[in-house]
Each structure stands twice: as C-alpha cells, then as structure tokens.
Amino acid sequence: MKIHLGFEQTPMGERPFFLDLDPKQFRHLWLLGKTGTGKSSLLRHIIAACIAAGWGVWVFDPHGDLISDASNYVPLSRLKDVYLFDPQNPKIPGIGILEHPDKSRALRISMTLQEAHAGDGWGKQSASVLRNVTRAALELFRHPTIVHIYKLLS
C-alpha cells in the first residue's frame, strides 16, 4: 500500500512522495522525534490509510490527542471494529496484572507479558528499566496500573 505524504523537489522538478507499506513487513512502528517535527501528522496519514485499506490498527496514545484526530478517519462501515481503551478513565475496569497480592508474583507476570509482547525488540537494559519502574509502581501505588508505570517513565 502506498501512502501519499506530499511532494519532494528533484532536479527534474516536483514529484509525489509516497511511503510504501508492505503488510507482511509493516507490523510495528515506533516514531521518535523532537516536538513539532510532524510525528503526529505522519501517524495520522498512516492510520487513515491503514483504516481505509481495511487493516487493523492499534494506537497507543498516552496523551489522547492523536487518537481524537485519528478517530475522524474511521468510516461508518468500520465503527463496529473500533475499541477505545482509555486506561486513565476510572470507569474502565483494570486488567489487574499488577494487583496480585504477592508483589514479586505481580512483577513476574507483568515482565513475562512484556517480554512475550516485545519479542526480539527487547534488550537487557529495557527489561531492567521496566522491571525497576514496575517495582517502584508496586511500592508507591495502592492499585498500580500501566498508566502509573508510564507516568514514572515520563
């Protein structure tokens, strides 16, 4: 699938610029950059194109701005496919992976899930940081959640 992102200047003049996404290769995306460099705009384009192509899209948006914008691109025919999980909403019940009465067991469960999800994109340093932040969340909060871990990391 080719996503038209804009135009590029070449010696031959202006020509369209596309991002080519192969569904067999494009499974995860982590986009990093300074504030104001167009990360959210690029993600909006990718999300809209993937939804239009019938692909499944999972967006983790800790601030909520991107998902509010991206939801405007969901066609009526796909509304039944949308699940909005807002971990900061107190009305949403928690999954409770960190609420085991045995804190060391809660830590093992959490790390096992994280490592299974991360696959090859996980290193010793990443595991160490997440393990220590999870330990801190388990000690600091009465009912710790992934949101608490995120806030400790940011």
Side-chain angles (χ1 to χ4, degrees):
M1 168 178 60
K2 289 189 176 192
I3 302 172
H4 181 254
L5 294 178
F7 296 92
E8 64 178 331
Q9 296 294 329
T10 69
M12 306 286 282
E14 190 175 81
R15 69 176 189 178
F17 179 78
F18 294 93
L19 179 63
D20 194 3
L21 300 179
D22 179 353
K24 293 177 184 170
Q25 295 177 348
F26 183 71
R27 296 187 57 210
H28 300 93
L29 173 69
W30 188 8
L31 185 61
L32 303 172
K34 292 182 180 180
T35 302
T37 57
K39 297 178 304 295
S40 294
S41 296
L42 175 59
L43 286 172
R44 270 193 295 279
H45 280 81
I46 293 172
I47 291 166
C50 290
I51 290 171
W55 293 11
V57 177
W58 188 86
V59 178
F60 178 75
D61 179 17
H63 303 291
D65 303 339
L66 177 61
I67 198 62
S68 296
D69 293 341
S71 63
N72 293 322
Y73 296 103
V74 178
L76 292 175
S77 62
R78 296 282 312 270
L79 282 180
K80 66 181 182 345
D81 299 330
V82 174
Y83 296 93
L84 179 60
F85 174 72
D86 181 359
Q88 296 189 62
N89 185 341
K91 295 179 183 176
I92 303 287
I95 296 172
I97 60 171
L98 298 175
E99 291 201 20
H100 196 283
D102 179 354
K103 291 180 182 179
S104 64
R105 174 99 191 230
L107 178 63
R108 273 195 314 275
I109 291 168
S110 174
M111 293 304 296
T112 300
L113 289 172
Q114 290 294 330
E115 289 167 354
H117 175 72
D120 292 337
W122 189 260
K124 289 181 182 179
Q125 189 66 34
S126 299
S128 177
V129 168
L130 188 60
R131 184 177 296 106
N132 289 327
V133 169
T134 303
R135 276 190 188 122
L138 288 165
E139 292 299 322
L140 292 171
F141 303 102
R142 185 172 175 204
H143 299 288
T145 66
I146 291 174
V147 173
H148 292 108
I149 293 171
Y150 171 77
K151 287 181 177 181
L152 287 170
L153 285 168
S154 60

